[in-house]
Each structure stands twice: as C-alpha cells, then as structure tokens.
Amino acid sequence: MNPMCGRCNLVVYPTEKVNCLDKYWHKGCFSCEVCKMTLNMKNYKGFEKRPYCNAHYPKTNFTAVADTPENLRLKQQSKIQSTVLYKEDFEKNKGRGFSVVTDTPEMQRLKKSQDQISNIKYHEEFEKRKMGGEAPHHHQSSNPSPVAYQASPATQNYNYEPAPEPVRPAAAAPPPSAGKRYTAVYDYSAADEDEVSFVEGDVIVDVQQIDEGWMYGRVERTGQQGMLPANYVEAI
C-alpha cells in the first residue's frame, strides 16, 4: 500500500516519493514551510519534522521570550510579591534574637552611649570602694597579708580531701582472749603497721576471726599482736 504525503495527504507513488523527516512527500510538496521553495535532500533543514530552507530555518533564541510584555509583567509582579513577603517576614521576626536593626547608626550610637555610662558607673563604684569600702575588712584582720588571703582556698579545700579507701578491715582494740591457738604454715612479713610478722611453725594465740580472709592474734614467740592472713595459719 502506497503511503500518504506529509503535506497534501494524497497518495505518494514510488516514482515521485521523497522519504525524509520520518515522512513521505511528493517531490513538489517537499518545500519550505515559509516561502514554499522546493527543497531536496541537500539543501533542506528539518525542524520539528518540517522542512525549511536555510533562510527561514527557525533560530532557537532563549532570551527572546523573556522580553515579551507578558513576561515583563510577570517578572515585575514576582519582584513586588518578593518585596511584600520580605517586609512581612521582617515584621514578624522583628525583636526576635539578633536583627539587622542593631547595625543601624542609631543603634550603634545608643550602644556606645550605654557603654560609656557603664564605664562611668564602674569607675564611680571603684572610687567609693577605694575611699571607704575597705573599712569593714579591718574587723576581720588588723594586718591583712597576701599569705593570709591565700590561706582561705586551702581551708576550703581541706573539707574536700578524699579519704583513703580501706583495703581490709582496720585493726580495732585487742579483743579479749578467746583461747584459740593456731600454728603458722607459711612465713609472713607484715605489710602494714597493724599486722604481725611470723615464720613457719610459730604459734599464734588469742586468735579471733575478723572476716573470711583476716584474723587477729598474738605471736607467742615474739609477743607481737595484730592482724594476720587466715590462709597462712591453721588451727591446732
């Protein structure tokens, strides 16, 4: 079946058929869309599947549309709307946190005046204290010195001195004689002042259990008494 012409929509026979731009054309119908000049496969230019001559080929100009009156009106309207939104947002956020108003010359002048007033008040207070504000200090010390002044932090820090954590129960007063006797199975050297030293075979008397690991007793050979490890002795 013969195809239809892309311009006149009539049947195109093989002897007069031109296949171009995804369409079929009569040789006479294959012409410029503007000036109707007959084209061929060497001098045509296609745009949106339509043939054009070199003089009337559409030029894509992206900025030409932006200069139309309608686009200029829309641009002006968008600018006005942006200004209105900026002013509304400025009124809503005025007074919240930092604002550009603080950088105005008027605000800078007020800030400078406040700083000057603050400096004047500070110097007035300093002069008052210098002239008569030190009198109450004489009741505390008739001859203040830097050493006495520096002693107060030390006094405060004394209350916060950390106490050493006990490694084992501290030795109390010698308990009354319980009559228990133990013999040393190992040598032991005292590691602290409240402990006793002994050698293998020594007899420990007046022994009293303090906890699972420590006892209190007296070495019969030396007469020393104190704490001793429970796993170094055995009952007689």
Side-chain angles (χ1 to χ4, degrees):
M1 183 176 180
N2 295 322
M4 307 298 291
C5 177
R7 186 177 299 278
C8 67
N9 291 325
L10 298 177
V11 177
V12 180
Y13 296 97
T15 57
E16 55 181 357
K17 180 173 65 176
V18 176
N19 185 4
C20 185
L21 299 175
D22 296 334
K23 295 180 182 181
Y24 294 96
W25 314 78
H26 294 106
K27 292 182 180 179
C29 293
F30 189 66
S31 60
C32 176
E33 288 287 323
V34 179
C35 65
K36 306 303 179 182
M37 182 182 73
T38 303
L39 302 173
N40 55 43
M41 300 299 294
K42 295 183 179 180
N43 62 357
Y44 87 97
K45 287 190 175 183
F47 182 80
E48 294 182 354
K49 296 186 178 181
R50 289 290 178 178
Y52 291 89
C53 66
N54 189 34
H56 296 104
Y57 179 76
K59 294 181 174 61
T60 54
N61 190 353
F62 298 100
T63 58
V65 179
D67 296 331
T68 60
E70 180 65 18
N71 284 334
L72 290 174
R73 184 185 66 82
L74 293 174
K75 182 179 179 181
Q76 185 68 20
Q77 185 176 356
S78 299
K79 186 182 296 185
I80 294 173
Q81 186 176 2
S82 298
T83 305
V84 172
L85 292 175
Y86 171 77
K87 289 182 178 179
E88 289 179 356
D89 186 65
F90 175 78
E91 293 296 331
K92 289 179 182 179
N93 296 326
K94 184 165 60 176
R96 298 180 183 178
F98 295 99
S99 174
V100 293
V101 180
T102 55
D103 295 329
T104 60
E106 181 65 19
M107 294 302 296
Q108 290 180 358
R109 184 183 64 81
L110 291 175
K111 183 178 178 182
K112 187 176 181 180
S113 300
Q114 290 177 356
D115 292 340
Q116 292 176 352
I117 294 172
S118 298
N119 290 333
I120 293 172
K121 288 184 178 181
Y122 170 77
H123 287 294
E124 288 179 356
E125 292 292 333
F126 177 78
E127 292 296 332
K128 288 180 181 179
R129 292 179 182 179
K130 185 177 179 181
M131 297 300 295
E134 294 181 0
H137 295 284
H138 293 290
H139 296 286
Q140 299 178 2
S141 176
S142 59
N143 186 20
S145 64
V147 177
Y149 177 78
Q150 295 176 359
S152 57
T155 305
Q156 295 177 0
N157 292 333
Y158 177 77
N159 297 328
Y160 295 95
E161 183 177 356
E165 296 182 0
V167 179
R168 54 174 176 71
S177 177
K180 294 182 180 181
R181 297 168 62 86
Y182 284 75
T183 181
V185 294
Y186 305 106
D187 296 344
Y188 181 74
S189 297
D192 208 341
E193 295 179 356
D194 55 356
E195 297 178 3
V196 292
S197 300
F198 50 83
V199 296
E200 183 181 357
D202 279 349
V203 177
I204 316 298
V205 297
D206 301 334
V207 177
Q208 194 163 8
Q209 190 80 24
I210 297 176
D211 56 22
E212 294 181 358
W214 291 89
M215 296 179 172
Y216 190 95
R218 177 172 58 86
V219 182
E220 191 176 44
R221 179 176 57 84
T222 60
Q224 295 179 349
Q225 58 185 8
M227 298 182 65
L228 61 145
N231 57 347
Y232 276 66
V233 296
E234 63 181 8
I236 298 176

